[in-house]
């Protein structure tokens, strides 16, 4: 139902998400049986080619390179801080998308669950870049 709303009216969903995201994140952390469904509701900034858009993990997957097996992310308070990070340098001229996670919960979630649909979460501050 929420996934349908997310597709139907993205701006209304994002407004709703800002208000209730903490509860979705809590659910991901505490409800292992439903965490994949809840993960599909989460939103992030997705950077690729220096451009940013709001999106979820399915949006990220649609941007991935053909043989890419990792979901790369960078914890940062906002996009300007992320873009100034020295860890961004390897990503600036690649087609590899990058999630900007602005809440500590997001990084904890990624560390706890480890992967989404077989794609491993990797913090670029600790990554090797064989896929770039």
């Amino acid at each position: 139902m929420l996934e349908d709303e997310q597709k139907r009216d993205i701006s209304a969903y994002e407004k709703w998400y800002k208000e209730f995201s903490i509860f979705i994140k809590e659910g991901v952390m505490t409800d292992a049986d439903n965490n994949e469904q809840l993960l599909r509701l989460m939103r992030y900034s997705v950077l690729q080619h220096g451009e940013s858009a709001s999106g979820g993990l399915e949006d990220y997957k649609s941007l991935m390179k053909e043989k890419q097996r990792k979901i790369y992310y960078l914890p940062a308070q906002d996009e300007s801080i992320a873009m100034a990070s020295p860890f961004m340098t390897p990503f600036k001229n690649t087609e590899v998308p990058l999630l900007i996670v602005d809440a500590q919960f997001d990084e904890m979630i990624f560390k706890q669950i480890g992967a989404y649909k077989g794609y491993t979460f990797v913090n670029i501050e600790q990554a090797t870049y064989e896929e770039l």
Side-chain angles (χ1 to χ4, degrees), residues 37-57:
Q37 293 88 344
L38 292 168
L39 277 169
R40 288 195 302 261
L41 298 175
M42 293 177 60
R43 307 293 294 172
Y44 310 94
S45 290
V46 182
L47 296 176
Q48 189 176 39
H49 303 295
E51 299 292 319
S52 171
S54 178
L57 291 173

Side-chain angles (χ1 to χ4, degrees), residues 75-99:
Q77 290 177 331
D78 60 43
E79 287 178 37
S80 62
I81 292 171
M83 293 304 288
S85 169
F87 297 103
M88 281 294 297
T89 303
F91 287 84
K92 287 187 178 177
N93 294 314
T94 71
E95 294 181 18
V96 176
L98 178 68
L99 294 177

Side-chain angles (χ1 to χ4, degrees), residues 10-70:
I10 192 67
S11 64
Y13 179 81
E14 288 192 0
K15 183 179 178 184
W16 176 88
Y17 181 78
K18 284 184 181 186
E19 190 170 337
F20 293 99
S21 64
I22 192 72
F23 300 107
I24 293 172
K25 293 173 185 185
E26 180 183 0
V28 172
M29 296 284 292
T30 60
D31 186 355
D33 293 337
N34 294 302
N35 68 10
E36 190 171 304
Q37 293 88 344
L38 292 168
L39 277 169
R40 288 195 302 261
L41 298 175
M42 293 177 60
R43 307 293 294 172
Y44 310 94
S45 290
V46 182
L47 296 176
Q48 189 176 39
H49 303 295
E51 299 292 319
S52 171
S54 178
L57 291 173
E58 290 298 317
D59 298 312
Y60 181 96
K61 280 181 50 190
S62 73
L63 298 172
M64 290 172 71
K65 291 172 46 178
E66 186 176 331
K67 295 182 180 183
Q68 183 178 337
R69 294 289 165 240
K70 297 177 181 171

